[in-house]
Amino acid sequence: MRKLLSNNYLLILTAFSIRVFTLLTLVGCGVEPPFAASTNLRLTQEEESLKLVLDSSDQARVLRDLRSVAGDHVVVRPPTTSGSIRWSDVPLALDYACAEVEMAIIRTIAEPECYIFTLKTIDDRPGEITLRRVDDDRVYVAEATVGRLGDDEDLARRLLGELDRQLHLFGAKRKLIRVDD
């Protein structure tokens, strides 16, 4: 009886050992995890800051591969920079300008030739900026007030200056033209 128990024990132990060995082999063989975009896993702090910088040979290979895909395609209407302010950039440029001077856009009234934005400062003071479209090189004229009585003229000037800076930065970027136009 004792021999029978020891044989059963040996069989169970052997079967368990094989399963453990198989499991460890599978885990340890470098089964790669799926791409992060296909899972709900979040990146760690270290993974978020990782950047891949291509050297000149990698850059040349990427350009060669992209050109090979494009083949004989001819660009019909390449995007161009206007170099000047575009009226269509006003809402997004003001959003960026407000972020720089620590303000937020609360409400927007958009008309074809005018924008009125209700603003709030970081310390909960009201503000307003009105932009009117003009038909000359300036493209727009703007008036801004900040504070309950419009008494923070310095912040209003900073906001107007930052808006103008952002509009010029947007004007330096290429504006894409819709193909179906």
Side-chain angles (χ1 to χ4, degrees):
M1 178 78 146
R2 190 174 245 185
K3 184 154 178 120
L4 183 63
L5 284 177
S6 67
N7 283 343
N8 285 342
Y9 180 76
L10 187 61
L11 286 173
I12 292 171
L13 185 59
T14 304
F16 180 75
S17 299
I18 291 172
R19 287 184 184 153
V20 169
F21 178 77
T22 305
L23 181 63
L24 290 175
T25 303
L26 288 175
V27 171
C29 282
V31 176
E32 293 193 24
F35 290 111
S38 66
T39 68
N40 61 356
L41 299 176
R42 297 187 59 89
L43 297 176
T44 64
Q45 289 278 342
E46 290 177 8
E47 291 171 330
E48 285 180 5
S49 64
L50 289 177
K51 294 180 183 172
L52 177 64
V53 179
L54 302 177
D55 62 12
S56 59
S57 66
D58 290 334
Q59 290 175 8
R61 191 177 74 221
V62 168
L63 286 174
R64 185 185 65 242
D65 292 345
L66 289 173
R67 286 185 181 121
S68 72
V69 173
D72 296 331
H73 178 73
V74 177
V75 178
V76 179
R77 293 186 304 183
T80 59
T81 61
S82 67
S84 64
I85 296 171
R86 292 184 294 255
W87 180 250
S88 61
D89 291 333
V90 166
L92 192 54
L94 182 64
D95 192 35
Y96 279 62
C98 283
E100 290 296 318
V101 296
E102 297 182 327
M103 297 181 79
I105 300 171
I106 303 301
R107 185 176 59 147
T108 303
I109 299 172
E111 297 176 5
E113 303 294 318
C114 178
Y115 281 107
I116 301 171
F117 296 94
T118 305
L119 309 170
K120 186 141 316 218
T121 65
I122 196 167
D123 55 351
D124 204 32
R125 292 180 297 141
E128 184 175 282
I129 185 168
T130 304
L131 291 97
R132 287 184 173 55
R133 189 174 190 170
V134 293
D135 293 328
D136 58 25
D137 291 341
R138 296 177 298 166
V139 179
Y140 75 98
V141 291
E143 299 170 356
T145 58
V146 178
R148 300 229 182 269
L149 303 173
D151 54 348
D152 195 345
E153 294 174 5
D154 181 48
L155 185 54
R157 268 193 303 277
R158 284 182 34 223
L159 175 63
L160 290 171
E162 189 60 35
L163 172 64
D164 193 57
R165 186 178 83 81
Q166 292 294 336
L167 281 168
H168 279 92
L169 289 173
F170 274 92
K173 295 178 181 177
R174 294 179 176 171
K175 181 173 176 77
L176 298 176
I177 302 168
R178 292 180 61 120
V179 176
D180 58 350
D181 286 346

